[in-house]
Amino acid sequence: MMRFTYYGHSCFAVQIKGKKILFDPFITPNALAKNIDISQIAADYIFLSHGHEDHVADCISIAGRTGAKVICSFEIHIWLNNQGITNTHPMNTGGKWAFDFGAVKCVVAQHSSGLPDGSYGGNPMGFVFTSEEGNFYYSGDTALTLDMQLVPQYAILNFAVLPVGDNFTMGIEDAIQAARFIQCNQVIGVHYDTFGFIKIDHEKAGKAFSDQEMKLHLLQPGETLDI
């Protein structure tokens, strides 16, 4: 079992073997996360799926304060280094690395990845985490892709974190198909409601998953789930 904390949009943290792992920090610009104080967020690692502002906005602030190691594409690694964040670990699609909490495999995400200043952010990525405490997949921002069928070869998943907001990423129907591809019935939804383009009907979304004998968790910013 792992502890999952949601901070709004696609920002969340997972605690594994006592390590606090933060993903895609976008909190201060998000009105839905107005009650989250980023100065209180602890992080040993920060994983960035891609370079868009709604995934990196608070990275420099949190990494600078906590000293967390930032794992990201090579291009984002250079961008961060140029802004004084030097505790970074660059990776790219297909690569795998053993960290002190477990191993991480970088997998395909079908999206774009420009940085806030307009520079190139490298390939968008998803991540498959394997550890003694459990395994999970974070797809990052992505379309439904047949590459997801490879994920079960890397890990039997306890849960998956998938975008469900549509328009910029997968919507509900494609997220259900993604869950089939990755062979995981426990899905935590992200990348929804933050902007007008990605607002969803929570009740309808939950029913669509339950009709397929799957569970969709839609958390409130600040909510924690043991899963």
Side-chain angles (χ1 to χ4, degrees):
M1 183 175 290
M2 289 167 282
R3 175 152 289 186
F4 181 103
T5 303
Y6 185 54
Y7 293 115
H9 197 53
S10 293
C11 181
F12 60 94
V14 178
Q15 186 166 316
I16 306 174
K17 295 183 73 173
K19 300 296 182 181
K20 297 176 176 65
I21 306 164
L22 183 68
F23 295 79
D24 288 349
F26 173 78
I27 301 167
T28 53
N30 181 6
L32 299 180
K34 62 182 181 297
N35 293 325
I36 304 295
D37 180 0
I38 68 166
S39 70
Q40 299 303 307
I41 294 176
D44 298 297
Y45 296 90
I46 299 172
F47 280 76
L48 303 178
S49 64
H50 64 293
H52 288 163
E53 185 173 15
D54 62 325
H55 293 256
V56 305
D58 293 312
C59 180
I60 291 172
S61 172
I62 295 173
R65 174 178 56 81
T66 63
K69 183 181 291 292
V70 183
I71 294 84
C72 54
S73 71
F74 186 83
E75 290 80 2
I76 298 175
H77 148 82
I78 295 296
W79 181 76
L80 289 170
N81 287 179
N82 288 338
Q83 297 183 72
I85 302 301
T86 57
N87 187 16
T88 53
H89 181 109
M91 295 187 73
N92 211 329
T93 312
K96 184 177 182 180
W97 191 264
F99 296 93
D100 56 2
F101 57 80
V104 180
K105 174 84 171 180
C106 293
V107 295
V108 169
Q110 186 63 43
H111 197 58
S112 55
S113 183
L115 286 157
D117 62 5
S119 58
Y120 175 53
N123 289 336
M125 295 185 290
F127 305 104
V128 179
F129 280 66
T130 54
S131 79
E132 294 173 357
E133 295 183 357
N135 309 321
F136 69 96
Y137 166 54
Y138 172 42
S139 71
D141 280 12
T142 188
L144 177 67
T145 170
L146 291 174
D147 290 279
M148 292 172 178
Q149 294 176 95
L150 294 171
V151 171
Q153 297 186 27
Y154 305 137
I156 298 171
L157 302 173
N158 297 80
F159 66 91
V161 184
L162 305 177
V164 296
D166 219 336
N167 193 71
F168 296 116
T169 67
M170 298 187 292
I172 297 300
E173 291 181 1
D174 282 353
I176 289 171
Q177 183 59 61
R180 293 191 190 105
F181 283 167
I182 63 177
Q183 300 175 23
C184 183
N185 292 331
Q186 292 287 329
V187 173
I188 300 173
V190 295
H191 210 279
Y192 65 91
D193 285 358
T194 318
F195 319 116
F197 290 120
I198 60 174
K199 289 185 177 177
I200 65 170
D201 183 321
H202 290 215
E203 184 176 350
K204 185 177 178 181
K207 185 177 185 304
F209 271 80
S210 62
D211 285 349
Q212 301 300 316
E213 299 184 345
M214 300 174 182
K215 174 65 176 178
L216 175 65
H217 303 269
L218 298 175
L219 305 181
Q220 295 298 314
E223 189 174 352
T224 293
L225 177 69
D226 289 327
I227 190 168

